[in-house]
Amino acid sequence: MDQGRHVFTVDLLERYAAKGRGVITCMAAGNDVIVIGTSKGWVIRHDFGVGDSNEIDLSAGRPGDQSIHRVFVDPGGSHCIATVVGVGGAETFYTHAKWTKPRVLSKLKGLLVNAVAWNRQQITEVSTKEVILGTDNGQLHELSVDEKDKREKYIKFLFELRELPEAFMGLQMETASIISGTRYYVMAVTPTRLYSFTGFGSLETVFSSYLDRTVHFMELPGEIPNSELHFFIKQRRAIHFAWLSGAGIYHGSLNFGAQHSSPNGDENFVESKALLNYAKLSEGAEAVKPSSMALSEFHFLLLIGNKVKVVNRISENIIEELQFDQTSDSAPKGIIGLCSDATAGLFYAYDQNSIFQVSVNDEGRDMWKVYLDMKEYAAALANCRDPLQRDQVYLVQAEAAFSNKDFFRAASFYAKINYILSFEEVTLKFISAGEQDALRTFLLRKLDSLVKDDKCQITMISTWATELYLDKINRLLLEDDSASENHNSEYQSIIREFRAFLSDSKDVLDETTTMKLLESYGRVEELVYFASLKGQHEIVVHHYIQQGEAKKALEVIQKPAVPVDLQYKFAPDLIALDAYETVESWMATKNLNPRKLIPAMMRYSSEPHAKNETHEVIKYLEYCVHRLHNEDPGIHNLLLSLYAKQEDDSALLRFLQCKFGKGQENGPEFFYDPKYALRLCLKEKRMRACVHIYSMMSMHEEAVALALQVDPELAMAEADKVEDDEDLRKKLWLMIAKHVVEQEKGTKRENIRKAIAFLKETDGLLKIEDILPFFPDFALIDDFKEAICSSLEDYNKQIEQLKQEMNDATHGADNIRNDISALAQRYAVIDRDEDCGVCRRKILTAGREYGMTHGYTSVGPMPPFYVFPCGHAFHAQCLIAHVTRCTTEANAEYILDLQKQLSLMGGETRRDSNGTLSPEDSTIPSMTPADKLRSQLDDAIASECPFCGDLMIKEISLPFILPDEAQHVASWEIKPNVGSQRNIPLPV
């Protein structure tokens, strides 16, 4: 093997590690700490982590020569146990890294400790927790030490071999924490046996349970100088073990799971067991048994003579031999033993004077080849480091399957190869072998391994796979014509697989190419399926309609992603195919415009076979009108036309009488075209409906004339509908009366009685004289005597009533004349201190400031004024000014214009003392224009008191400060004095 590819390398760590304290007899390591025992009873501790070392003499005070038999150190490098053998027997010591003096374990005096098992899961720097000691006489003891106590907490006897007492040569312990507590797994070896112990609780409980049950063990024959047991530790958990036995190296995987439910069961926790025969190490020569060993993840390090052979644990082949540079004085005895540091991942070898470090350099790098050579492909893939290595594993598997004609399995493996074999080479292999099914499998698996960025390659491969599927389907049909009918056949299976492929590949397949392929192979159903996947709903619906499957077509149309235009496009075909389902679908679809469905409904209703099924169309139209409140005239006209074609006209009449727009403000009562409705009803001879339409169109004469042909009672009802036009109502009743008189076929006297009875139904609207012209000329007056007398009495009553009304009117006129005469004598008394309501000056006082109002004549010294019945009095000029200020702009202009005209005329008119016209003058026909203007002015300003009438209410909207008072308001504004200021003292 190339030196650069060596997995294990040897380096001299320390040449004279015993430091003159004898020769090295034993060694242990943990966490970069090495502890060696010497032949003179010394324990030397090297801590490479901190670069420190110390020496402890365990032979002090003991007679004779003393030698360290075994030394043990925990994985953390803090706790150390050593056994000294001398003239006085064996004695065991415990020491801590922080102690300067060891502590003798007196309870173990005389017992030779060969093996120690540390509790790796629970041990700490200050406490050993549970430790198991194995002795030379086949006993197991439990020890626990806390560093702060400076002595052991306890030493308990656990177990003793009684069937075959042998020395315990190796011990290992593992624990697992589960819900019910802690489970212990203990493995121990003697020269010939491997024992397994397991149980819940404490170590004492576990081993006491074996008093009642058999100990599980594995026995191998043969002798060996030193039996050893090793666990390979990864992340503080034992992965696999190896036992150096007389027959070979017994090894396997360890499973310390919680699946062992029985607390006292003998379940074995060893899996994948194997035995490495020593004969494989000597290559034909006599087998040589190793004197020591160490265990790595994938290899055994076996000490044979002065060499360490590295054997692959999986392939059992020797991969390397390690040589050691020994001194001349140590070479004769050679390497004494091997030990491992599981925490640091290092191995050590030692002779009498020197310590050698064995380092591991990526021992798993070639394990994929090892597993591949052994045809353990899963393990080989798990140990591959890069895609090229994985490709080689897949290639070996693919070629093996191809050679065994397992083409489908070969296709799966070939599809996983990305680098060492091209796509074209693989496809040619299957094409040459004529295995199209395997080729299809290869293409499908290749698609799974491609990334999304390889769009072009994905589309091409998917298209090729599609064609292979179609070819397979056709070949199956050619082989068996009944394959399509057998649901469990290979044909149906490949159809389902093909559809699943189309569904998965719908986004990468070219739509046009794929549809052409499906069409060329005649796969209509798959074409429809693919079209639905691609959203080509029109193709799908058209296919279902051709197949007569209206329900499936409607299911497609009702999908949210389908455009609503397809509803309108396929409506004629769907309603002709299944009217009930189609109408139900329409009613279940939201945002559907019924107007666009009118052609389909009209076409369906006009077909002969649909005459008994038009109620489905009517049902939908009624749904639109009554539930959706549709206002489209086309919908209402169509519904009306279908009602008109029914034999029973009750639905038509209900429709015509329904007020559809009554929910709207000022809305129409109907939305159909009344003229169209009238023509349709006349065509279908629906006379009652025609009568209603005539009445609705206010064509009452036509309505009554038509109703008389159907039912006189209906004509009477129509005549009564006219209420606002008495003449028209009378005319309609005359039409009915004429019809009644002409239709009577009885005797003359009987006809007259019926005619007179008809007059009573008119509630006095018609008199006997109104219907007399309808009777024949030869009718005798005696037959109408009673009716005429009754009519004359009515007239007499009316004349008396008119006389009474005339008397009342005459009396009222006299009262009015008296009131007018009384008005001429009306007057008001003005106190001399009465104030004007506007200027607050005396009404009867004249002054220079009171100029005469234009158009008014002064009486003595008094100015013109107005007095109102409420008692308020105003100067004429003040009243005019007040009214023009408070009234509207138009009325103010009107008043000022009248005043201006009076001033221009300058006419003098005789006035009363209060300045108003006398009633006699106002009525004379020779009233002058000035008087008319004054009368108009009086009406404009004095129609009501400004303080008591509406004018006062309107004043609330006037501003407090009028626009013409702005200058007056500005005069009150306080302005700051910008110039110099003086302080003027105020007098006290």
Side-chain angles (χ1 to χ4, degrees):
M1 182 179 291
D2 183 19
Q3 185 67 26
R5 297 285 294 171
H6 283 178
V7 178
F8 292 88
T9 56
V10 177
D11 298 297
L12 176 64
L13 187 62
E14 191 166 354
R15 179 64 74 182
Y16 297 100
K19 298 183 179 181
R21 305 296 185 179
V23 297
I24 300 173
T25 59
C26 56
M27 177 178 169
N31 197 22
D32 275 339
V33 174
I34 294 177
V35 178
I36 60 175
T38 69
S39 59
K40 293 185 178 181
W42 285 80
V43 172
I44 302 173
R45 184 177 186 274
H46 296 274
D47 190 342
F48 294 102
V50 297
D52 189 17
S53 65
N54 56 7
E55 305 170 6
I56 300 176
D57 186 7
L58 300 183
S59 63
R62 292 168 58 88
D65 295 333
Q66 306 293 324
S67 176
I68 304 298
H69 173 65
R70 289 281 192 274
V71 64
F72 308 96
V73 66
D74 77 296
S78 300
H79 309 280
C80 179
I81 296 175
T83 302
V84 181
V85 179
V87 178
E91 198 163 10
T92 304
F93 292 84
Y94 169 82
T95 183
H96 192 273
K98 297 180 180 179
W99 293 2
T100 57
K101 292 183 179 181
R103 179 71 184 181
V104 64
L105 304 176
S106 57
K107 289 186 178 182
L108 298 177
K109 186 175 180 63
L111 297 177
L112 187 62
V113 177
N114 286 334
V116 172
W118 306 96
N119 189 343
R120 284 182 298 273
Q121 279 68 45
Q122 300 180 12
I123 194 170
T124 63
E125 184 179 354
V126 298
S127 176
T128 62
K129 300 300 180 182
E130 303 93 335
V131 181
I132 304 176
L133 308 178
T135 64
D136 191 56
N137 62 349
Q139 292 182 356
L140 297 177
H141 295 266
E142 180 183 355
L143 166 69
S144 179
V145 181
D146 282 350
E147 184 270 332
K148 64 180 180 179
D149 296 337
K150 304 302 180 184
R151 56 163 297 166
E152 72 275 10
K153 289 179 66 176
Y154 59 82
I155 298 178
K156 299 178 183 178
F157 171 79
L158 293 177
F159 182 78
E160 183 178 8
L161 294 175
R162 299 188 182 277
E163 179 190 355
L164 181 62
E166 287 185 309
F168 281 110
M169 305 302 293
L171 274 176
Q172 294 288 346
M173 176 172 54
E174 195 79 10
T175 60
S177 297
I178 56 177
I179 298 176
S180 56
T182 302
R183 187 178 183 95
Y184 290 89
Y185 302 90
V186 180
M187 187 178 285
V189 296
T190 65
T192 61
R193 290 183 177 182
L194 183 147
Y195 293 91
S196 298
F197 305 91
T198 181
F200 290 100
S202 63
L203 282 173
E204 190 174 10
T205 305
V206 171
F207 282 97
S208 63
S209 66
Y210 285 96
L211 297 176
D212 303 326
R213 60 188 178 122
T214 305
V215 181
H216 185 84
F217 66 88
M218 173 71 181
E219 185 173 9
L220 293 176
E223 297 180 358
I224 194 166
N226 185 26
S227 179
E228 297 180 12
L229 176 66
H230 295 279
F231 277 8
F232 173 72
I233 310 300
K234 190 173 185 179
Q235 298 178 352
R236 299 186 65 184
R237 179 63 65 183
I239 304 300
H240 51 262
F241 78 98
W243 171 31
L244 185 65
S245 68
I249 298 175
Y250 182 70
H251 61 97
S253 301
L254 298 172
N255 183 5
F256 300 114
Q259 69 273 19
H260 307 297
S261 58
S262 174
N264 298 318
D266 288 329
E267 294 90 353
N268 193 4
F269 44 84
V270 177
E271 299 175 349
S272 305
K273 295 169 282 191
L275 180 66
L276 173 62
N277 198 317
Y278 295 132
K280 293 184 178 181
L281 307 178
S282 56
E283 298 179 358
E286 184 179 354
V288 179
K289 297 179 180 180
S291 57
S292 183
M293 74 170 291
L295 178 63
S296 71
E297 185 174 4
F298 296 108
H299 298 87
F300 301 125
L301 280 71
L302 304 177
L303 178 60
I304 301 175
N306 280 343
K307 297 179 180 180
V308 172
K309 292 187 177 182
V310 180
V311 180
N312 188 285
R313 182 171 56 86
I314 307 302
S315 65
E316 299 184 349
N317 294 328
I318 300 173
I319 64 166
E320 291 178 355
E321 287 189 0
L322 305 181
Q323 303 285 343
F324 300 93
D325 183 15
Q326 294 180 277
T327 58
S328 58
D329 54 346
S330 299
K333 193 168 184 180
I335 302 297
I336 299 174
L338 301 173
C339 71
S340 61
D341 183 348
T343 306
L346 298 173
F347 301 92
Y348 299 96
Y350 60 94
D351 59 14
Q352 290 182 342
N353 294 318
S354 305
I355 299 175
F356 302 92
Q357 177 178 302
V358 181
S359 303
V360 184
N361 182 23
D362 193 13
E363 65 172 322
R365 65 192 178 194
D366 293 324
M367 286 306 298
W368 69 276
K369 286 185 179 180
V370 175
Y371 284 114
L372 183 59
D373 293 339
M374 298 176 65
K375 298 183 179 180
E376 295 185 12
Y377 303 116
L381 288 171
N383 286 273
C384 287
R385 303 290 181 83
D386 54 58
L388 289 175
Q389 293 177 0
R390 285 191 289 272
D391 277 3
Q392 293 183 57
V393 178
Y394 291 138
L395 180 60
V396 172
Q397 291 177 277
E399 290 181 344
F402 196 89
S403 61
N404 292 331
K405 298 189 181 303
D406 190 354
F407 297 108
F408 289 99
R409 192 164 182 268
S412 299
F413 288 123
Y414 276 127
K416 297 177 181 179
I417 300 173
N418 295 316
Y419 300 101
I420 63 175
L421 202 63
S422 67
F423 174 82
E424 292 78 7
E425 290 178 284
V426 177
T427 55
L428 286 174
K429 277 179 173 288
F430 290 110
I431 292 173
S432 301
E435 291 294 327
Q436 289 195 3
D437 294 341
L439 175 60
R440 186 181 70 252
T441 301
F442 168 72
L443 296 178
L444 295 176
R445 299 295 179 270
K446 194 67 179 177
L447 284 173
D448 295 337
S449 63
L450 292 175
V451 296
K452 292 183 179 179
D453 293 338
D454 300 330
K455 295 181 180 179
C456 182
Q457 190 172 2
I458 291 174
T459 300
M460 292 174 64
I461 294 176
S462 300
T463 306
W464 192 0
T466 301
E467 189 168 10
L468 291 176
Y469 267 119
L470 293 171
D471 182 68
K472 175 67 174 178
I473 292 170
N474 277 3
R475 283 190 283 114
L476 290 175
L477 285 175
L478 291 173
E479 293 172 3
D480 185 4
D481 294 337
S482 62
S484 59
E485 300 175 0
N486 186 359
H487 295 287
N488 297 323
S489 64
E490 183 184 0
Y491 171 81
Q492 295 295 338
S493 176
I494 200 69
I495 287 292
R496 289 191 292 270
E497 183 182 339
F498 180 42
R499 291 194 175 189
F501 169 75
L502 290 175
S503 178
D504 295 338
S505 306
K506 64 179 184 298
D507 296 328
V508 298
L509 284 169
D510 180 70
E511 183 177 330
T512 305
T513 304
T514 306
M515 286 190 172
K516 286 183 178 179
L517 268 177
L518 294 169
E519 186 179 0
S520 64
Y521 277 85
R523 303 305 304 176
V524 179
E525 293 184 358
E526 283 70 34
L527 175 62
V528 172
Y529 178 76
F530 183 72
S532 64
L533 292 175
K534 297 296 290 184
Q536 296 290 344
H537 306 291
E538 186 172 347
I539 297 176
V540 180
V541 175
H542 182 70
H543 168 74
Y544 285 137
I545 290 175
Q546 285 185 332
Q547 297 295 321
E549 298 177 351
K551 283 188 177 182
K552 291 184 177 180
L554 290 169
E555 288 175 2
V556 174
I557 287 178
Q558 285 180 319
K559 292 180 179 179
V562 178
V564 72
D565 291 341
L566 290 186
Q567 288 270 19
Y568 310 131
K569 182 173 183 178
F570 291 104
D573 297 328
L574 287 171
I575 195 171
L577 194 60
D578 192 334
Y580 175 78
E581 292 293 340
T582 304
V583 169
E584 291 294 323
S585 172
W586 288 350
M587 291 192 294
T589 305
K590 296 181 179 179
N591 302 323
L592 199 63
N593 187 359
R595 183 178 183 85
K596 296 184 178 181
L597 298 173
I598 291 178
M601 291 186 284
M602 292 184 65
R603 176 181 172 184
Y604 175 76
S605 301
S606 63
E607 294 178 0
H609 68 86
K611 289 193 178 296
N612 296 328
E613 298 180 10
T614 52
H615 64 279
E616 294 297 334
V617 177
I618 294 175
K619 180 175 71 174
Y620 177 68
L621 293 173
E622 288 175 345
Y623 171 80
C624 295
V625 170
H626 299 295
R627 295 288 298 277
L628 301 182
H629 305 291
N630 188 283
E631 300 178 0
D632 192 338
I635 296 296
H636 288 256
N637 289 338
L638 179 58
L639 180 57
L640 189 144
S641 67
L642 295 178
Y643 279 146
K645 294 177 181 178
Q646 291 182 331
E647 295 180 1
D648 185 5
D649 62 352
S650 58
L652 174 62
L653 292 173
R654 286 195 303 270
F655 178 77
L656 292 173
Q657 293 168 3
C658 185
K659 297 182 179 180
F660 300 102
K662 61 184 177 181
Q664 304 177 6
E665 185 177 357
N666 299 323
E669 293 186 356
F670 54 88
F671 297 103
Y672 53 85
D673 184 357
K675 295 180 181 179
Y676 168 76
L678 182 60
R679 289 196 303 271
L680 184 67
C681 293
L682 288 173
K683 178 183 177 182
E684 299 293 336
K685 294 182 171 50
R686 306 298 178 196
M687 297 307 175
R688 289 182 177 271
C690 293
V691 171
H692 179 81
I693 296 172
Y694 275 132
S695 175
M696 185 177 57
M697 297 172 66
S698 299
M699 300 174 67
H700 301 288
E701 295 186 32
E702 290 81 355
V704 170
L706 186 60
L708 289 174
Q709 300 177 16
V710 180
D711 185 2
E713 296 293 335
L714 178 60
M716 296 178 188
E718 288 297 323
D720 280 337
K721 291 181 181 180
V722 180
E723 297 177 354
D724 52 349
D725 190 346
E726 193 69 19
D727 293 337
L728 177 60
R729 187 164 180 262
K730 186 175 182 180
K731 182 178 180 181
L732 297 178
W733 276 105
L734 285 173
M735 292 173 60
I736 299 171
K738 181 179 180 181
H739 178 79
V740 170
V741 171
E742 292 177 350
Q743 290 297 319
E744 292 299 336
K745 302 299 182 182
T747 61
K748 295 179 182 179
R749 190 171 297 276
E750 184 67 22
N751 293 348
I752 294 172
R753 283 201 297 268
K754 287 184 179 181
I756 294 172
F758 173 76
L759 290 177
K760 295 179 180 180
E761 294 182 9
T762 64
D763 294 330
L765 182 64
L766 298 182
K767 302 297 182 181
I768 186 63
E769 61 272 22
D770 295 326
I771 66 172
L772 284 177
F774 303 145
F775 288 94
D777 295 338
F778 51 82
L780 299 176
I781 192 65
D782 293 340
D783 297 331
F784 300 97
K785 180 179 180 181
E786 183 178 353
I788 292 173
C789 291
S790 176
S791 178
L792 290 174
E793 289 177 359
D794 291 339
Y795 282 127
N796 187 41
K797 290 179 182 178
Q798 291 178 10
I799 291 170
E800 293 297 330
Q801 185 177 358
L802 288 174
K803 287 181 178 180
Q804 183 63 36
E805 290 176 357
M806 290 175 65
N807 292 332
D808 293 340
T810 303
H811 182 68
D814 294 338
N815 291 334
I816 292 172
R817 291 189 189 96
N818 294 330
D819 290 340
I820 292 173
S821 300
L823 283 174
Q825 304 299 322
R826 188 178 64 172
Y827 63 91
V829 178
I830 301 297
D831 190 76
R832 64 181 296 175
D833 296 328
E834 183 75 24
D835 294 336
C836 175
V838 176
C839 66
R840 295 301 176 185
R841 295 181 183 274
K842 304 300 181 182
I843 285 291
L844 302 179
T845 302
R848 293 184 64 183
E849 65 275 14
Y850 291 98
M852 293 301 174
T853 305
H854 296 293
Y856 287 91
T857 304
S858 175
V859 180
M862 291 184 297
F865 61 89
Y866 287 88
V867 179
F868 291 94
C870 60
H872 291 115
F874 303 90
H875 292 116
Q877 189 62 31
C878 294
L879 181 62
I880 292 172
H882 179 73
V883 172
T884 54
R885 183 172 63 88
C886 298
T887 190
T888 61
E889 183 177 355
N891 195 27
E893 291 179 356
Y894 174 70
I895 294 171
L896 294 175
D897 183 60
L898 291 175
Q899 191 178 16
K900 182 179 178 181
Q901 291 183 41
L902 281 172
S903 63
L904 291 175
M905 291 181 67
E908 291 294 334
T909 306
R910 184 175 56 86
R911 311 280 304 172
D912 292 334
S913 62
N914 60 356
T916 59
L917 292 171
S918 63
E920 291 83 1
D921 294 337
S922 63
T923 58
I924 58 176
S926 61
M927 180 181 288
T928 63
D931 293 335
K932 292 181 180 180
L933 289 174
R934 290 190 194 98
S935 177
Q936 293 175 7
L937 183 61
D938 289 343
D939 292 338
I941 63 175
S943 60
E944 61 178 356
C945 177
F947 288 176
C948 301
D950 294 338
L951 191 63
M952 176 58 73
I953 298 174
K954 295 178 181 178
E955 284 186 22
I956 195 172
S957 61
L958 295 178
F960 289 111
I961 300 173
L962 298 176
D964 56 356
E965 296 176 336
Q967 184 177 3
H968 183 68
V969 172
S971 66
W972 285 88
E973 184 178 359
I974 299 175
K975 299 181 180 178
N977 190 358
V978 182
S980 61
Q981 298 180 359
R982 292 187 303 167
N983 294 327
I984 303 174
L986 298 174
V988 179

